[in-house]
Every structure is written in structure tokens, then in C-alpha cells.
Amino acid sequence: IETAQDALRAARRARQPALEALGLFRLSEAQFRSGLGEAALHNAQRSAALFETLGDTVWQGRALWAQAHAHDRLGQGAQREQAAKQALALAQAAGDQLGIGAALNILYREHHDIGQRIKGLKQSYDAFRAAGYVERFSGPLGNLGLTYSALGRFAQARRLAVQSRQADQQQGNRHSLVAFAVQLAM
């Protein structure tokens, strides 16, 4: 958070609105990942609004994704879904595979319709692969694993857990692996 705050201050000193919008986005992401939902929501909303005025729909969509995560942290499911759907629409219109993968993952990871959840998470994984964004592969894989585990399809759940773990190991991401293992054990 401190590094993101420093970057935002530097962007403001440079008086470059695109850098400020990106700084707000990065600060929001750091905040929602640290459990600071209110602050994350505020900064994501400011980022999305600034990117909209700049006409940058790719980053506007990504800021809406951060907004969806902040709503999720705050337990605001309807608002999370609305922001994720807006992020998805912008990402699809721009052909932003990274944005599509991110929006689909948060939109479908807890979807009440299991069939839609599986389909959406597979599409999320495919979008991240199309974007070449290995770091994010483990998210939808882990969520698929949790879904299959809840359905009692443990062989598939284990296979996805291994794939998720391998993706995390390739990126040196230990936090995601630990969180997934704890959730899978429940």
C-alpha cells in the first residue's frame, strides 16, 4: 500500500491524469488485497471515472474489476456483480483478454448456478491463457477446483489443485497456494 501511495503521489506531481488513474487503480488493488474494502472502493471508483474521462476503456474496465473486488470485500454481492458485468462488457468490447479473464473470474467464482460457474471459470482461464498472463491462471483453476470439490468430484478437484499449484510455483506465488490449500481442506 505504501509503495502504491508513493506512486500515486509521484503521478500527481507529474500532472499526468493517465498516471494518476493508474496509481489509483494500483492503490485500490493493494487495498482490497489487504482487506481495506472502503478505501479500495473509493480509489477504484475514482480510477474508473478518470479512465472514463480519458477515453481509456481497457483501464476503465480493469478499474471496475478492482471495484468489484472491493464490493466483494465489503460483502456487497449485488454491487460486485454489477461492477464485474460492466468490467466484462468493456473488456469484451476492447478485446482485452486479461480484463475478460479477471471479470469472468470474479463474476463466476461464487455463482449460484454451478453449470454457469464452471462455464464462466473455464472461460476465465481461457482468456488468461489467450492473454499469456500465467500469473492469473491459478485463480480460475483454484475456483474450479473448489467447485468440483463441493460437487464431490475429488479427482478433478485434485487435478486442478495440482495445475493451480504448478502455475503458482512458476510465478513464485506462495500466498495463493496456501489460501487455496486451506479452502480445499475445508
Side-chain angles (χ1 to χ4, degrees):
I1 292 174
E2 187 176 313
T3 301
Q5 289 170 330
D6 289 345
L8 178 58
R9 281 190 287 277
R12 287 180 173 152
R13 281 192 305 273
R15 296 185 181 174
Q16 294 188 24
L19 288 178
E20 181 177 350
L22 183 59
L24 287 164
F25 168 77
R26 295 294 185 208
L27 178 57
S28 173
E29 186 175 11
Q31 289 168 327
F32 77 66
R33 292 187 188 283
S34 298
L36 303 173
E38 289 289 341
L41 179 60
H42 175 72
N43 288 316
Q45 289 169 330
R46 291 172 54 204
S47 176
L50 192 47
F51 279 126
E52 182 177 22
T53 62
L54 295 169
D56 190 333
T57 58
V58 168
W59 281 100
Q60 180 188 357
R62 293 178 185 184
L64 285 164
W65 165 81
Q67 194 173 320
H69 266 283
H71 283 301
D72 188 58
R73 287 284 184 180
L74 295 169
Q76 301 169 340
Q79 294 93 330
R80 174 190 57 82
E81 186 173 333
Q82 181 182 6
K85 285 181 177 178
Q86 290 174 321
L88 180 59
L90 288 173
Q92 287 172 327
D96 175 23
Q97 292 297 316
L98 175 58
I100 291 169
L104 286 169
N105 190 44
I106 192 157
L107 186 61
Y108 287 105
R109 72 181 187 188
E110 297 174 17
H111 199 277
H112 65 278
D113 182 320
I114 299 295
Q116 288 295 316
R117 182 187 310 177
I118 291 170
K119 180 180 177 185
L121 291 172
K122 285 180 178 180
Q123 289 173 343
S124 172
Y125 174 76
D126 290 343
F128 284 135
R129 285 190 57 91
Y133 212 84
V134 177
E135 180 186 346
R136 297 287 173 105
F137 287 9
S138 67
L141 286 176
N143 290 328
L144 275 167
L146 292 171
T147 301
Y148 285 126
S149 180
L151 291 171
R153 296 173 71 177
F154 300 116
Q156 281 181 293
R158 274 190 223 94
R159 180 180 53 80
L160 291 164
V162 168
Q163 288 177 343
S164 178
R165 179 178 177 212
Q166 289 171 341
D168 281 339
Q169 286 177 329
Q170 288 173 357
Q171 297 301 308
N173 182 358
R174 291 189 179 115
H175 173 72
S176 178
L177 174 60
V178 171
F180 176 68
V182 169
Q183 289 177 342
L184 193 58
M186 296 178 133

